[in-house]
Amino acid sequence: MRYLPNSCLVFFFLFFSLFHNLSCASTEKELGWCQAQFQCGNITAGFPFSGGIRPQLCGHPLLELHCFKNTTSIIISNNFYNVHNIDQTSNTLRITKAELQSSFCNGTFTTATLPPEIFELLPAYKNLNVFYLCDSKLPYRSSYTCPGRGPVSVSQNLDYQNSCQGSFTMNVPKSYVPEEKELNLTQLENTLKEGFEVKVKIDEKACQECSSSHGICGFENTKQVCCNEASSSVCNTFHPSNGKFLNYQTSSLTSYTEIENLYSP
Ligand SMILES: *[C@@H]1O[C@H](CO)[C@@H](O)[C@H](O)[C@H]1NC(C)=O
Ligand SMILES: *[C@@H]1O[C@H](CO)[C@@H](O)[C@H](O)[C@H]1NC(C)=O
Ligand SMILES: *[C@@H]1O[C@H](CO)[C@@H](O)[C@H](O)[C@H]1NC(C)=O
Ligand SMILES: *[C@@H]1O[C@H](CO)[C@@H](O)[C@H](O)[C@H]1NC(C)=O
């Protein structure tokens, strides 16, 4: 790669300038679509979400919605969640980890971490530990024997850390308390079906400010931006420290310089 011939560099330059121009043109078209709403079943969502007819740059990269058979879903940390409800005024979502929605015992038993920079679990919910690969000779509180998996125990603390080889956490309402002796699987599955609520941590004021000055709210990767309706290649980055949008313009040189640096000795 280091000794790439010059003709190759030229090719890269042409390719990337062409690519950049193409992406600029489509950016202008796409930004217009940011005023459209994501629609699926009875769920409607605008900023800070993308998906459906809302292009990716209209929403945060971690907030891309999908629609399949009138059911809305979102992928968080490689886990598939069904979205039951989106409250656009409070920016909260009620979601269920899809694999836990049908059969608890058939799940993959992995912890689904909510990226803290964008999601916040509402105070009505908590983390619950699930222990598995447990020594079947020992007794466990709130346990259930999953077919082919052996005893599984649900606990609010880490008391079975040493007697079980596997564990993961899941989100349940604070009102859910595992029973003392045997786990009521039906009750747990019903609880998981209801899902849990998360708040999306987004600077709403910045977007309101942007909209009121006839701008279009969008994202440059994870950076919140406000784009000019008339000339959408000009976007302002929201600067959290002073609460103001800073002017910036995407430069076609950036992509070439980056490529050049990659191949320079
Ligand atoms: C949306 O539809 C589903 C069933 O299709 C229903 O369970 C849910 O309550 C509805 N949500 C709202 C907010 O109407
Ligand atoms: C989705 O909902 C619409 C309107 O309620 C309905 O006409 C359509 O048949 C539904 N599609 C599926 C795949 O359920
Ligand atoms: C769980 O998986 C087993 C075997 O893979 C299957 O027979 C069973 O029907 C599944 N249970 C549910 C509730 O999906
Ligand atoms: C388990 O929970 C379900 C639903 O909450 C309830 O109807 C059932 O009586 C419970 N079973 C036992 C054995 O407690």
Coordinates of all heavy atoms in Angstrom, one line a residue, residues 19-34 55 57-58 216 219-220 225 227-229 231-235 248 250:
F19 N -17.1 11.0 -5.8 CA -17.9 10.5 -4.7 C -18.4 11.6 -3.8 O -19.6 11.7 -3.4 CB -17.1 9.5 -3.8 CG -17.8 9.0 -2.7 CD1 -18.7 7.9 -2.8 CD2 -17.6 9.5 -1.4 CE1 -19.4 7.5 -1.7 CE2 -18.2 9.0 -0.3 CZ -19.2 8.0 -0.5
H20 N -17.5 12.6 -3.5 CA -17.9 13.7 -2.7 C -19.0 14.5 -3.3 O -19.9 14.9 -2.7 CB -16.7 14.6 -2.4 CG -17.1 15.7 -1.5 ND1 -17.1 15.6 -0.1 CD2 -17.4 17.0 -1.7 CE1 -17.5 16.7 0.4 NE2 -17.7 17.6 -0.5
N21 N -18.8 14.8 -4.6 CA -19.8 15.6 -5.3 C -21.2 14.9 -5.3 O -22.2 15.5 -5.1 CB -19.4 15.9 -6.7 CG -18.3 16.9 -6.8 OD1 -18.1 17.7 -5.8 ND2 -17.5 17.0 -7.8
L22 N -21.1 13.6 -5.5 CA -22.3 12.8 -5.5 C -23.0 12.9 -4.2 O -24.2 13.1 -4.0 CB -22.1 11.3 -5.9 CG -21.9 11.0 -7.3 CD1 -21.6 9.6 -7.5 CD2 -23.2 11.3 -8.1
S23 N -22.2 12.7 -3.1 CA -22.7 12.7 -1.8 C -23.3 14.1 -1.4 O -24.2 14.2 -0.6 CB -21.7 12.1 -0.8 OG -20.7 13.1 -0.6
C24 N -22.6 15.1 -1.9 CA -23.1 16.5 -1.6 C -24.5 16.7 -2.2 O -25.4 17.2 -1.6 CB -22.1 17.5 -2.2 SG -21.3 18.3 -0.9
A25 N -24.6 16.3 -3.5 CA -25.9 16.4 -4.2 C -27.0 15.7 -3.5 O -28.1 16.2 -3.3 CB -25.8 16.0 -5.6
S26 N -26.7 14.4 -3.1 CA -27.7 13.7 -2.4 C -28.0 14.2 -1.0 O -29.1 14.1 -0.5 CB -27.3 12.2 -2.4 OG -26.2 12.0 -1.6
T27 N -27.0 14.8 -0.4 CA -27.2 15.4 0.9 C -28.3 16.5 0.8 O -29.2 16.6 1.7 CB -25.9 16.0 1.5 OG1 -24.9 15.0 1.6 CG2 -26.1 16.7 2.8
E28 N -28.2 17.3 -0.2 CA -29.1 18.4 -0.4 C -30.5 17.9 -0.5 O -31.5 18.4 0.1 CB -28.8 19.3 -1.6 CG -27.9 20.4 -1.2 CD -27.5 21.3 -2.4 OE1 -28.4 21.7 -3.1 OE2 -26.3 21.5 -2.6
K29 N -30.7 16.8 -1.3 CA -32.0 16.2 -1.5 C -32.5 15.6 -0.2 O -33.6 15.7 0.2 CB -31.9 15.2 -2.6 CG -33.1 15.3 -3.6 CD -33.2 14.2 -4.7 CE -31.9 13.7 -5.2 NZ -32.0 12.4 -5.9
E30 N -31.5 14.9 0.4 CA -31.9 14.2 1.7 C -32.4 15.1 2.8 O -33.3 14.7 3.5 CB -30.7 13.3 2.1 CG -30.6 12.1 1.3 CD -29.4 11.2 1.8 OE1 -28.7 11.6 2.7 OE2 -29.3 10.1 1.3
L31 N -31.7 16.2 2.9 CA -32.0 17.1 4.0 C -33.5 17.5 4.0 O -34.1 17.7 5.0 CB -31.1 18.3 4.0 CG -29.8 18.1 4.8 CD1 -28.9 19.2 4.6 CD2 -30.1 18.0 6.3
G32 N -34.0 17.7 2.8 CA -35.4 18.1 2.6 C -36.3 17.0 3.2 O -37.4 17.3 3.8
W33 N -35.9 15.8 3.2 CA -36.6 14.7 3.7 C -36.6 14.6 5.3 O -37.4 13.9 5.9 CB -36.1 13.3 3.2 CG -36.5 13.1 1.8 CD1 -35.7 13.2 0.7 CD2 -37.8 12.7 1.3 NE1 -36.5 12.9 -0.4 CE2 -37.7 12.6 -0.1 CE3 -39.0 12.4 2.0 CZ2 -38.8 12.2 -0.8 CZ3 -40.1 12.0 1.2 CH2 -40.0 11.9 -0.2
C34 N -35.8 15.5 5.9 CA -35.7 15.5 7.4 C -37.0 16.0 7.9 O -37.3 15.8 9.1 CB -34.5 16.3 7.8 SG -32.9 15.5 7.5
P55 N -33.7 10.0 5.9 CA -32.3 9.5 5.7 C -31.5 9.6 7.0 O -31.9 10.3 8.0 CB -31.8 10.6 4.7 CG -33.0 11.2 4.1 CD -34.0 11.2 5.1
L57 N -28.8 11.0 7.9 CA -28.3 12.2 8.4 C -29.3 13.0 9.1 O -29.0 14.1 9.7 CB -27.6 13.0 7.3 CG -28.4 13.4 6.0 CD1 -29.2 14.7 6.2 CD2 -27.4 13.5 4.9
C58 N -30.6 12.6 9.1 CA -31.6 13.3 9.9 C -31.7 12.9 11.3 O -32.4 13.5 12.1 CB -33.0 13.0 9.2 SG -33.1 13.4 7.5
I216 N -32.7 23.1 9.4 CA -33.1 21.7 9.5 C -32.2 21.0 10.4 O -31.0 21.1 10.2 CB -33.1 21.1 8.1 CG1 -34.1 21.8 7.1 CG2 -33.4 19.6 8.2 CD1 -34.0 21.4 5.7
F219 N -27.7 15.4 11.8 CA -26.5 15.0 12.5 C -25.3 14.8 11.5 O -25.5 14.4 10.3 CB -26.7 13.6 13.1 CG -27.4 13.8 14.5 CD1 -28.7 13.8 14.6 CD2 -26.6 13.9 15.6 CE1 -29.3 13.9 15.9 CE2 -27.2 14.0 16.9 CZ -28.6 14.1 17.0
E220 N -24.1 15.1 11.9 CA -22.9 14.8 11.2 C -22.2 13.8 12.1 O -21.6 14.1 13.1 CB -22.0 16.0 11.2 CG -22.2 16.9 9.9 CD -21.1 16.6 8.9 OE1 -20.0 16.3 9.3 OE2 -21.4 16.8 7.7
V225 N -26.2 19.0 14.2 CA -26.0 20.1 13.3 C -27.3 20.8 12.9 O -28.4 20.2 13.1 CB -25.2 19.8 12.0 CG1 -23.8 19.3 12.4 CG2 -26.0 18.7 11.2
C227 N -28.8 22.7 9.6 CA -28.4 23.0 8.2 C -29.4 24.1 7.6 O -30.6 24.1 8.0 CB -28.5 21.7 7.4 SG -27.3 20.5 7.9
N228 N -28.8 24.8 6.7 CA -29.6 25.9 6.1 C -30.5 25.3 5.1 O -30.1 24.4 4.3 CB -28.6 26.8 5.4 CG -29.2 28.1 4.9 OD1 -30.3 28.1 4.4 ND2 -28.5 29.2 5.2
E229 N -31.8 25.7 5.1 CA -32.8 25.1 4.2 C -32.4 25.4 2.8 O -32.6 24.5 1.9 CB -34.1 25.7 4.6 CG -35.2 24.7 4.7 CD -36.5 25.3 5.2 OE1 -36.5 26.2 6.0 OE2 -37.5 24.9 4.6
S231 N -29.4 26.4 1.4 CA -28.1 25.9 0.9 C -27.6 24.8 1.9 O -27.0 25.1 2.9 CB -27.1 27.0 0.8 OG -25.8 26.5 1.0
S232 N -28.0 23.6 1.7 CA -27.9 22.6 2.7 C -26.4 22.0 2.8 O -26.1 21.2 3.6 CB -28.8 21.4 2.5 OG -28.9 21.1 1.1
S233 N -25.5 22.5 1.9 CA -24.1 22.1 2.1 C -23.5 22.9 3.3 O -22.4 22.7 3.7 CB -23.3 22.3 0.9 OG -23.4 23.6 0.4
V234 N -24.3 23.9 3.8 CA -23.8 24.7 4.9 C -24.5 24.3 6.1 O -25.7 24.5 6.3 CB -24.0 26.3 4.7 CG1 -23.5 27.0 5.9 CG2 -23.3 26.7 3.4
C235 N -23.8 23.7 7.0 CA -24.4 23.2 8.3 C -23.6 23.9 9.4 O -22.5 24.1 9.3 CB -24.4 21.7 8.4 SG -25.3 20.9 7.2
Y248 N -19.8 26.0 10.0 CA -18.7 25.2 9.4 C -19.2 24.8 8.0 O -20.4 24.8 7.7 CB -18.4 24.0 10.2 CG -19.2 22.8 9.9 CD1 -18.7 21.8 9.1 CD2 -20.4 22.6 10.5 CE1 -19.5 20.7 8.8 CE2 -21.2 21.5 10.2 CZ -20.7 20.6 9.4 OH -21.4 19.5 9.1
T250 N -18.4 21.9 4.9 CA -17.7 20.7 4.6 C -16.8 20.9 3.4 O -17.2 21.5 2.5 CB -18.7 19.5 4.3 OG1 -19.8 20.1 3.6 CG2 -19.1 18.8 5.5

